[in-house]
């Protein structure tokens, strides 16, 4: 026989008795409160009309109320962020445990070795190992530079390793993304760089057509890939490499190296004329060496990005390191945004984003988030995600900015006149100069008025040797080596000739800076709203910079109750 649940019904006598006891208890509580003298707070009568400085007092009271509201919102934001962070960590742990259990059941000794290899594929040491492999196998090394900041894309450690390697190894510079820079600026950089290494002007295709693209185009006639699939400079580069191969009387291998998001894989796709390598806006898409056959005499090797050294400036780490914007700390992203904006003209940044004057990076991101409608619950600007979007814009091809070459030509210490002559030997420099001139003329350049002037931080130090890599030493280099397996890179080939197929070888504290609300009537309007900024190159003073860098959304929940919001401070 099944057991029935006990009924919750009561007899009327018992129910009335309980209600009577409750009434007696409430009566007793009211009596005790009356004896203690705790009465309801009287309504504030306000400031009398005859009181002196009435308007000033009211204004100060309103200010204090606003500050309390802002503090409330910030603390609420911190609590929400902390809850989200805990939820993500728990979800990650659960997923890792489930995966470990699944792997433990099916794994043998062989599969375990394979899994370990896949897990390490995303690490910095793996990137350095693959990069070294490319450098050793290459006869000619192409160092790809972003035309918007060529000096910031140069790696002295890489150049020294190639020039002093021996074995008649050559180094060429490829100035990519020239369509994002004014024409005269491109010519200045070509004249500057060609005095050190042979330099090729290039505009790569950001999206190559393949079978998938053709299907999309057939279905939707509006899709237009004309601008993204255009490329210039590939004929000049290919001709230069083929002529050099003939002088060597052997098949040559060309390695393509550079920092993240400079367009290494896009250049290979443009030279090949079809999509041979995976490309994307995310940094670190290429994780291993890939061999692409251009013709019978020329192979081109794609490589992972150079790892930026943690000792670099905040600007170099923001633009040149392999970071995951989804997993990186909001304080690091804000520091990167601060460094970028400090190296630009404030007026030009305001005109480009079409926003009013701002005090600091936090204010800039808040205004931009409101303008683009990136708001959280309650209309609070989503500063964290806005910062990640802005950083992606600056590392991608959305923002048109340019930097000026140095005033005087000072080659690095490792680059002597003899080394410069060795690097130029075997190349037809006259044909190269003519090809660069044709490329620059063919590309449509933006006007200087529509571009942002950028102050370069100089060369970026990189880590070439695997032994010098510190996996967790860099703020910006925190690559997530989670236990999620990396999907193998798949290449879609539309060409039927199997001989030239692609081969694959293998954010802290916020409340610390919030000042306590003054209980008296001594506060004044914020002085920062009345004073402007005079220096356009350096936007923020030292105090404001430190205040903005310390801004973070990660705050423990137990520190959020600095104020009792039930108290009326007015």
């Amino acid at each position: 026989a099944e057991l029935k649940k006990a009924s919750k019904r009561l007899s009327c006598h018992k129910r009335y008795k309980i209600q009577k006891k409750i009434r007696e208890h409430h009566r007793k509580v009211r009596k005790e409160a009356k004896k203690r003298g705790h009465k309801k707070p009287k309504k504030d009568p306000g400031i009398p009309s005859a009181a002196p400085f009435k308007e000033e007092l009211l204004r100060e009271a309103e200010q204090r109320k606003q500050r309390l509201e802002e503090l409330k919102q910030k603390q609420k934001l911190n609590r929400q962020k902390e809850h989200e962070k805990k939820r993500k960590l728990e979800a990650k742990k659960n997923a890792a445990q489930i995966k470990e259990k699944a792997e433990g059941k099916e794994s043998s000794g062989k599969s375990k070795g394979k899994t370990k290899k896949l897990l390490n594929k995303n690490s910095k040491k793996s990137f350095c190992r693959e990069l070294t492999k490319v450098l050793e196998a290459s006869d000619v090394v192409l160092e790809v530079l972003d035309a918007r900041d060529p000096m910031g894309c140069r790696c002295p450690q890489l150049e020294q390793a190639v020039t002093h390697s021996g074995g008649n190894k050559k180094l060429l510079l490829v100035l990519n993304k020239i369509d994002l820079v004014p024409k005269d600026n491109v010519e200045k950089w070509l004249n500057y760089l060609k005095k050190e290494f042979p330099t090729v002007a290039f505009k790569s295709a950001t999206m190559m057509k393949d079978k998938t693209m053709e299907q999309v185009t057939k279905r939707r006639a509006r899709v237009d890939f004309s601008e993204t699939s255009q490329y210039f400079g590939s004929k000049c580069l290919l001709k230069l490499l083929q002529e050099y191969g003939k002088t060597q009387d052997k098949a040559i291998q060309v390695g393509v190296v550079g920092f993240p998001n400079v367009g290494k894989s896009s250049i290979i796709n443009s030279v090949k004329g079809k999509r041979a390598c995976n490309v994307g806006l995310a940094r670190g898409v290429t994780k291993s060496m890939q061999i692409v056959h251009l013709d019978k005499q020329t192979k081109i090797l794609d490589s992972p990005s150079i790892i930026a050294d943690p000792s670099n400036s905040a600007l170099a780490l923001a633009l040149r390191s392999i970071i995951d914007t989804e997993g990186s700390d909001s304080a690091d992203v804000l520091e990167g945004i601060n460094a970028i904006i400090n190296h630009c003209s404030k007026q030009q940044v305001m005109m480009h984003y079409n926003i009013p004057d701002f005090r600091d990076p936090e204010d800039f991101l808040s205004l931009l988030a409101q303008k683009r409608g990136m708001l959280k619950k309650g209309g609070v600007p989503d500063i964290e995600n806005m910062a990640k979007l802005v950083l992606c814009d600056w590392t991608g091809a959305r923002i048109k900015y340019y930097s000026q070459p140095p005033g005087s030509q000072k080659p690095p210490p490792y680059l002597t006149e003899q080394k410069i002559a060795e690097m130029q030997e075997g190349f037809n420099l006259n044909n190269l100069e003519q090809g660069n001139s044709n490329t620059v003329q063919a590309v449509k350049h933006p006007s200087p008025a529509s571009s942002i002037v950028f102050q370069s931080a100089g060369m970026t130090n990189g880590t070439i040797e695997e032994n010098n890599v510190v996996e967790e030493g860099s703020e910006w280099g925190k690559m997530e080596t989670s236990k999620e397996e990396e999907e193998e890179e798949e290449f879609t080939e539309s060409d039927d000739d199997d001989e030239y197929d692609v081969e694959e070888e293998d954010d802290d504290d916020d409340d610390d800076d919030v000042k306590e609300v003054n209980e008296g009537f001594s506060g004044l309007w914020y002085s920062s709203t009345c004073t402007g900024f005079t220096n356009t190159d350096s936007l923020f003073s030292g105090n404001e910079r430190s205040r903005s860098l310390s801004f973070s959304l990660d705050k423990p929940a137990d520190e959020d109750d600095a104020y009792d919001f039930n108290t009326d401070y007015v």
Side-chain angles (χ1 to χ4, degrees):
E2 293 182 5
L3 293 173
K4 292 184 179 180
K5 289 184 179 180
S7 174
K8 293 183 181 180
R9 296 177 67 184
L10 298 173
S11 63
C12 291
H13 172 72
K14 197 169 184 180
R15 188 166 67 249
Y16 295 150
K17 195 173 179 180
I18 291 169
Q19 289 174 358
K20 187 180 177 183
K21 289 283 184 186
I22 291 169
R23 283 197 300 271
E24 285 176 1
H25 173 72
H26 287 168
R27 197 180 301 118
K28 188 178 177 183
V29 169
R30 284 197 300 271
K31 261 188 175 182
E32 287 176 359
K34 198 173 180 181
K35 282 179 185 178
R36 287 197 301 267
H38 280 235
K39 296 180 182 179
K40 289 182 181 179
K42 290 183 180 180
K43 189 179 178 182
D44 185 11
I47 301 168
S49 300
F53 312 107
K54 180 184 175 181
E55 290 182 4
E56 220 174 296
L57 294 174
L58 287 171
R59 197 161 53 238
E60 289 170 358
E62 186 64 29
Q63 269 186 283
R64 195 158 47 258
K65 196 173 179 182
Q66 284 179 4
R67 287 200 294 273
L68 278 170
E69 281 298 321
E70 287 175 9
L71 188 61
K72 249 185 184 178
Q73 290 292 342
K74 284 182 180 179
Q75 291 181 346
K76 186 180 176 183
L77 201 65
N78 291 337
R79 285 192 292 271
Q80 288 176 356
K81 178 63 184 175
E82 187 64 27
H83 292 324
E84 286 175 15
K85 202 174 180 183
K86 285 179 182 176
R87 206 177 300 122
K88 283 179 183 177
L89 283 171
E90 286 173 2
K92 232 176 199 179
K93 284 178 184 176
N94 293 337
Q97 287 173 359
I98 292 166
K99 200 161 192 180
E100 278 178 5
K101 286 178 184 177
E103 283 176 1
K105 290 177 184 177
E106 63 178 63
S107 65
S108 61
K110 189 177 179 181
S111 63
K112 277 182 182 177
K114 189 178 178 182
T115 308
K116 191 176 179 183
K117 187 178 178 182
L118 285 172
L119 290 176
N120 293 335
K121 196 175 182 182
N122 205 26
S123 67
K124 293 185 193 175
K125 286 192 176 182
S126 172
F127 275 44
C128 280
R129 196 182 304 122
E130 293 295 318
L131 179 62
T132 307
K133 206 187 290 183
V134 170
L135 292 176
E136 288 174 354
S138 303
D139 300 306
V140 179
V141 178
L142 303 182
E143 186 180 12
V144 184
L145 312 179
D146 191 330
R148 297 174 293 182
D149 182 19
M151 197 56 73
C153 296
R154 290 182 66 178
C155 177
Q157 288 78 13
L158 172 76
E159 293 179 3
Q160 187 171 4
V162 175
T163 52
H164 290 75
S165 63
N168 200 25
K169 206 181 288 285
K170 303 293 182 184
L171 180 67
L172 291 178
L173 301 181
V174 180
L175 197 64
N176 193 22
K177 302 184 184 181
I178 60 171
D179 58 317
L180 302 176
V181 178
K183 184 180 175 182
D184 59 339
N185 187 256
V186 175
E187 291 170 347
K188 284 179 185 176
W189 274 112
L190 287 172
N191 291 331
Y192 178 84
L193 295 171
K194 73 180 182 182
K195 294 174 184 176
E196 297 181 12
F197 294 103
T199 308
V200 182
F202 208 94
K203 189 269 175 188
S204 61
T206 54
M207 192 178 292
M208 297 297 294
K209 292 181 182 178
D210 58 5
K211 288 180 181 179
T212 315
M213 299 295 175
E214 285 168 10
Q215 286 174 5
V216 172
T217 316
K218 285 173 186 175
R219 288 178 197 162
R220 302 176 187 174
R222 294 179 185 177
V223 179
D224 183 21
F225 296 106
S226 58
E227 289 186 9
T228 54
S229 60
Q230 282 183 349
Y231 52 90
F232 301 92
S234 59
K235 289 181 181 178
C236 176
L237 178 60
L238 191 57
K239 188 179 177 183
L240 191 72
L241 295 173
Q242 287 172 343
E243 287 178 354
Y244 177 74
K246 287 176 183 177
T247 60
Q248 300 299 305
D249 293 329
K250 64 172 185 175
I252 61 167
Q253 294 191 355
V254 182
V256 182
V257 298
F259 283 103
N261 274 46
V262 292
K264 300 182 290 296
S265 300
S266 298
I267 286 174
I268 295 173
N269 290 343
S270 301
V271 174
K272 178 74 175 172
K274 65 179 181 181
R275 187 171 178 235
C277 300
N278 276 350
V279 293
L281 291 174
R283 307 189 194 187
V285 174
T286 306
K287 301 184 189 304
S288 61
M289 182 174 79
Q290 299 162 29
I291 302 175
V292 179
H293 292 263
L294 293 181
D295 53 39
K296 291 181 180 180
Q297 295 298 316
T298 312
K299 288 180 186 177
I300 195 161
L301 312 178
D302 195 7
S303 69
S305 304
I306 302 170
I307 303 296
D309 196 85
S311 62
N312 285 304
S313 63
L315 178 69
L317 291 173
L319 294 175
R320 307 290 165 228
S321 62
I322 305 174
I323 62 167
D324 178 18
T325 53
E326 294 301 322
S328 54
D329 190 16
S330 58
D332 291 340
V333 179
L334 272 173
E335 186 175 355
I337 298 295
N338 182 33
I340 290 169
I341 294 176
N342 277 329
H343 284 75
C344 301
S345 167
K346 185 181 182 183
Q347 298 299 328
Q348 289 180 333
V349 171
M350 287 162 55
M351 287 175 66
H352 177 80
Y353 286 104
N354 196 17
I355 56 172
D357 194 5
F358 52 89
R359 296 188 299 272
D360 48 37
E362 182 191 339
D363 193 23
F364 163 73
L365 294 169
S366 178
L367 290 169
L368 195 58
Q370 287 174 352
K371 183 178 180 294
R372 295 189 179 179
M374 287 189 68
L375 305 173
K376 289 185 176 180
K377 191 176 178 182
V380 179
D382 192 353
I383 292 174
E384 185 183 8
N385 286 325
M386 192 69 248
K388 291 174 182 177
L389 276 180
V390 171
L391 191 60
C392 287
D393 287 350
W394 278 81
T395 53
R398 290 181 68 100
I399 308 295
K400 295 174 182 177
Y401 63 91
Y402 65 96
S403 58
Q404 296 292 346
S408 58
Q409 188 89 23
K410 289 183 180 178
Y414 54 83
L415 206 59
T416 60
E417 290 183 4
Q418 184 184 352
K419 288 290 179 186
I420 293 171
E422 284 179 13
M423 291 297 114
Q424 293 176 348
E425 188 182 349
F427 295 108
N428 192 334
L429 299 180
N430 292 329
N431 289 350
L432 175 60
E433 193 168 348
Q434 183 61 38
N436 285 342
S437 178
N438 295 338
T439 304
V440 172
Q441 292 294 332
V443 174
K444 185 180 178 182
H445 299 272
S447 64
S450 63
S451 303
I452 299 173
V453 179
F454 181 78
Q455 293 177 357
S456 178
M459 289 189 182
T460 304
N461 293 321
T463 307
I464 305 298
E465 296 181 7
E466 186 182 345
N467 298 332
N468 297 336
V469 174
V470 181
E471 286 291 345
E472 297 179 359
S474 170
E475 294 178 357
W476 285 93
K478 291 179 182 175
M479 291 285 296
E480 287 190 26
T481 52
S482 61
K483 294 183 179 180
E484 297 175 2
E485 289 187 3
E486 293 291 330
E487 291 182 2
E488 291 295 331
E489 295 178 352
E490 298 176 357
F491 304 117
T492 53
E493 291 293 335
S494 57
D495 197 56
D496 295 332
D497 192 358
D498 294 331
E499 186 181 357
Y500 302 121
D501 224 346
V502 179
E503 299 172 5
E504 186 171 348
E505 295 244 338
D506 293 325
D507 316 329
D508 269 281
D509 292 339
D510 175 37
D511 290 351
D512 294 347
D513 296 303
V514 178
K515 294 183 180 178
E516 292 185 3
V517 179
N518 190 5
E519 295 183 10
F521 289 95
S522 59
L524 294 173
W525 284 100
Y526 285 101
S527 60
S528 59
T529 56
C530 302
T531 58
F533 296 90
T534 54
N535 190 357
T536 57
D537 293 328
S538 179
L539 302 184
F540 315 115
S541 64
N543 291 335
E544 290 171 332
R545 188 174 303 169
S546 62
R547 179 163 56 93
S548 63
L549 296 185
S550 65
F551 173 78
S552 171
L553 299 176
D554 300 332
K555 182 76 177 172
D558 55 351
E559 292 182 29
D560 287 339
D561 300 321
Y563 283 90
D564 183 7
F565 291 107
N566 295 324
T567 306
D568 188 4
Y569 289 96
V570 179

